Amino acid sequence: MIGGYAGKMLFVDLTRGELVERSLSEDLARSFLGGYGIGAKVLYEMMQPGVDPLGPDNVIGFLPGPATGTRALFCGRYTIVHKSPITGGWNDANSGGYFGPELKKAGYDAVFVSGISPKPVYLWIKDGTAEIRDASHLWGLDTKETWAALQEELGDEKIRVAAIGPSGERVSLLACPINDGHRAPGRGGGGAVMGAKRLKAIAVRGTGTVPVANPEKILAINKAVVKMMQEHPATPAWSEYGTTSITAGSILSGDCAVKNWAGAGIVDFGEERAQKLSGEALDKYKVKKYGCYNCPLGCGAEYEVNAGRWPLGPTERPEYETSGAFGPALLCDEEDALLKANEVCNRYGLDTISAGMTIAWAMECYERGILTKEDLDGIELTWGNGEAIVALLQKMADGEGCGAVLANGSAYAARVWNKGAEYLQTASGIEIPMHDPRLGPGLARTYQFDPTPGRHVKGGIGIGQLGLPPEEKYVYEGTGEADLKATTFQEVLNSLGFCMFALSVGVTPQAFHDYAEAILGIPFTAEDSLNTGLRILNMRLAFNLREGITPADCTISERVVGKPPLEAGPLAGVTIDNEKLARNFFTAAHWDLETGKPSRASLEQLGQLEEVIRDLYGS
Ligand code: SF4
């Protein structure tokens, strides 16, 4: 077996109460790496099209990558995979912290859970053994309480836990698991899938090591990576303030959502208010730095908030995405409301992006008279009203009144209430994250046409365009190859189990190819990366195609692509030609523009996609 793997996958059927271990084949590892690469391949084989995302036949997987838990830097991530109850298609979402490395050290490359348990359960995994345990006594606890309770019950404070909170238990579609108390594979409804299965948590403890092919080479690459970071101008700010180092700048540049994507930060929010949400301002609550497993950057922070309207005690610094969704997107500059919202989402297990942007949609509908005070259970949801935001979020977390509807997302609420659909800001039904396609046009292609829609952690040229001058980024000719290259690299980076923020502090793609060679012990050239990334991308795409999702079903709200364009601010007048960007990408990826099908020849050339060829082409 090549390096980087425990060599074992766990399959859990909660209906039958069965656990089965299977060896991980070298073919599977070489071809799909890990994370959502292996996840897509296995779910494609295990699942039939058309299954209810909240039914027993949906499978949810928890997968570290081959890098996860090794001595490579930035290697703390794992991914959850499942069919999304929000989009009805493929979903993956990744998370940092320590849960993924612990799972690898416990001897598993993947855990797949199917079925529905008759009662609440948790999975206890320890050093190569696994069992299903009763979780009735944990049902109702929030994610932090669950982690603490399991550490005490199992008698080991080093236990790592991925758990749902009350939002997942009541199968709110915006629910996500939370690992390590505050890290989240947040998007796409994984918490709802766990809740529907009555899977409260997975607790892991592993004391093993992850075998790698060339440990000395990994240490040498680590040194080179640290040097790259030291020489990069963004490193000090990222190290000090993490993702919040970009909050104020992103609000003012036009990158961040403002007023449900209808506003311009410099005009509608202003510099002073933007600074109030910056890392510098929020860090008055900082107690200490937080870093994921083996991360030299440590971009998180632990806070202590003991005064004000919501004295939270120990809490965490909100990430940029959270700060945007609960800040300028709602025209709110009240830091205590932001901190409270972050804490509620972490404890109840809610996706902060979708929760904040669902409130943004409701807020716009309220301001326009589409939703009334009565619709919102008496809450006056005016722009910037922190008290109202927290009150509505709490209702969503508690599943109470209008909150029970909004906890399923803005598209769901618009459908159920039959109003406000024209103000949704979504991609295929999921709320758009905090990077504006009008500033990085390629993001529109990624949000709309990636098989996991509406994600800032999926690849493409968009993120790299954010800082480019207009003449270099509003270019719609010849983007396909670069878009495909960036996308496939991100597929590889994510599937290996690395954190993409390394790229923000100067770590080069080549460094990750070098890590792959050192960990796996096989050549991993840029061409290997492109082919492997495209194979993984095609596997995710095939999952959606089998569900009947074609390019025509992939939608993006018009406002975020500048239809109509903004009238003020740095992005005034910008309209994105996403049709052209998509056409370029589809051509480069050998995807049919109408059906979305990858060409047979390209699938055959990539290899290891026989079942996809069979399903798409009949033999
Ligand atoms: S950069 Fe931040 S999110 Fe990424 S691994 Fe390090 S601490 Fe975790």
Side-chain angles (χ1 to χ4, degrees), residues 437-518:
R438 292 165 294 191
L439 189 68
L443 288 165
R445 198 284 303 160
T446 304
Y447 290 166
Q448 185 172 2
F449 292 108
D450 190 277
T452 316
R455 302 304 163 86
H456 61 294
V457 296
K458 290 298 176 197
I461 52 176
I463 289 282
Q465 291 173 321
L466 294 173
L468 293 180
E471 63 275 16
E472 289 181 34
K473 65 180 162 192
Y474 299 119
V475 171
Y476 299 99
E477 299 298 331
T479 56
E481 293 298 332
D483 204 3
L484 182 66
K485 189 176 169 200
T487 300
T488 51
F489 171 70
Q490 189 80 22
E491 296 289 275
V492 166
L493 187 79
N494 290 342
S495 297
L496 286 169
F498 284 114
C499 174
M500 66 182 277
F501 292 156
L503 304 172
S504 302
V505 290
V507 184
T508 60
Q510 183 59 47
F512 291 104
H513 295 159
D514 292 343
Y515 270 138
E517 284 198 359

Side-chain angles (χ1 to χ4, degrees), residues 264-464:
I266 193 86
V267 177
D268 297 285
F269 206 60
E271 189 161 356
E272 197 178 318
R273 298 177 75 194
Q275 290 299 343
K276 285 174 73 177
L277 301 179
S278 68
E280 291 98 316
L282 295 178
D283 264 9
K284 61 179 173 242
Y285 299 110
K286 186 173 175 180
V287 177
K288 62 175 177 174
K289 251 172 102 71
Y290 174 89
C292 302
Y293 177 89
N294 219 25
C295 177
L297 196 56
C299 76
E302 295 180 14
Y303 278 10
E304 181 92 29
V305 180
N306 292 321
R309 288 181 291 181
W310 296 287
L312 304 168
T315 187
E316 297 82 31
R317 180 168 62 202
E319 299 292 340
Y320 161 71
E321 293 283 331
T322 309
S323 302
F326 282 99
L330 308 170
L331 291 188
C332 183
D333 64 0
E334 299 170 23
E335 68 183 27
D336 56 350
L338 165 62
L339 292 164
K340 172 68 174 172
N342 189 51
E343 180 72 2
V344 168
C345 288
N346 283 346
R347 283 192 176 272
Y348 284 75
L350 280 169
D351 170 11
T352 57
I353 297 171
S354 280
M357 295 314 295
T358 294
I359 294 175
W361 168 80
M363 200 170 251
E364 179 165 6
C365 289
Y366 179 79
E367 290 277 10
R368 290 179 180 276
I370 294 165
L371 290 177
T372 65
K373 199 169 157 182
E374 289 67 44
D375 290 328
L376 299 174
D377 302 341
I379 294 175
E380 292 188 38
L381 199 62
T382 49
W383 290 117
N385 183 343
E387 288 273 0
I389 292 164
V390 169
L392 187 57
L393 178 65
Q394 192 62 57
K395 276 183 169 289
M396 291 164 66
D398 290 331
E400 182 197 308
C402 66
V405 175
L406 290 166
N408 293 314
S410 54
Y412 178 95
R415 204 164 52 240
V416 168
W417 289 338
N418 196 26
K419 42 185 153 180
E422 63 273 36
Y423 299 110
L424 290 172
Q425 305 306 321
T426 54
S428 296
I430 191 164
E431 291 74 15
I432 304 276
M434 300 296 106
H435 295 287
D436 194 326
R438 292 165 294 191
L439 189 68
L443 288 165
R445 198 284 303 160
T446 304
Y447 290 166
Q448 185 172 2
F449 292 108
D450 190 277
T452 316
R455 302 304 163 86
H456 61 294
V457 296
K458 290 298 176 197
I461 52 176
I463 289 282

Side-chain angles (χ1 to χ4, degrees), residues 12-70:
V12 181
D13 182 335
L14 291 178
T15 303
R16 296 166 187 268
E18 283 178 3
L19 298 97
V20 175
E21 287 183 357
R22 287 187 207 144
S23 299
L24 175 73
S25 77
E26 186 165 324
D27 266 357
L28 183 58
R30 278 176 179 259
S31 305
F32 293 93
L33 297 178
Y36 62 70
I38 289 180
K41 171 78 169 170
V42 171
L43 259 59
Y44 194 87
E45 288 172 2
M46 285 183 77
M47 290 173 62
Q48 295 296 313
V51 305
D52 176 0
L54 301 175
D57 296 329
N58 196 5
V59 180
I60 183 166
F62 301 77
L63 298 105
T68 311
T70 67

Side-chain angles (χ1 to χ4, degrees), residues 532-612:
T532 307
L534 185 53
R535 185 182 298 115
I536 293 168
L537 180 67
N538 279 331
M539 200 72 238
R540 293 194 293 121
L541 174 68
F543 186 96
N544 283 349
L545 291 171
R546 199 174 59 169
E547 295 288 340
I549 298 170
T550 68
D553 301 306
C554 300
T555 59
I556 192 164
S557 297
E558 296 205 327
R559 183 182 283 173
V560 297
V561 291
K563 297 177 184 172
L566 288 168
E567 292 177 1
L571 303 179
V574 171
T575 300
I576 302 307
D577 187 351
N578 201 28
E579 291 75 20
K580 186 80 170 98
L581 292 172
R583 210 172 305 137
N584 296 343
F585 182 83
F586 275 50
T587 303
H590 303 285
W591 293 359
D592 184 86
L593 288 162
E594 280 203 10
T595 65
K597 283 163 62 168
S599 77
R600 180 176 190 131
S602 74
L603 294 174
E604 285 174 347
Q605 192 183 348
L606 290 167
Q608 300 292 330
L609 293 165
E610 288 74 19
E611 68 279 60
V612 175

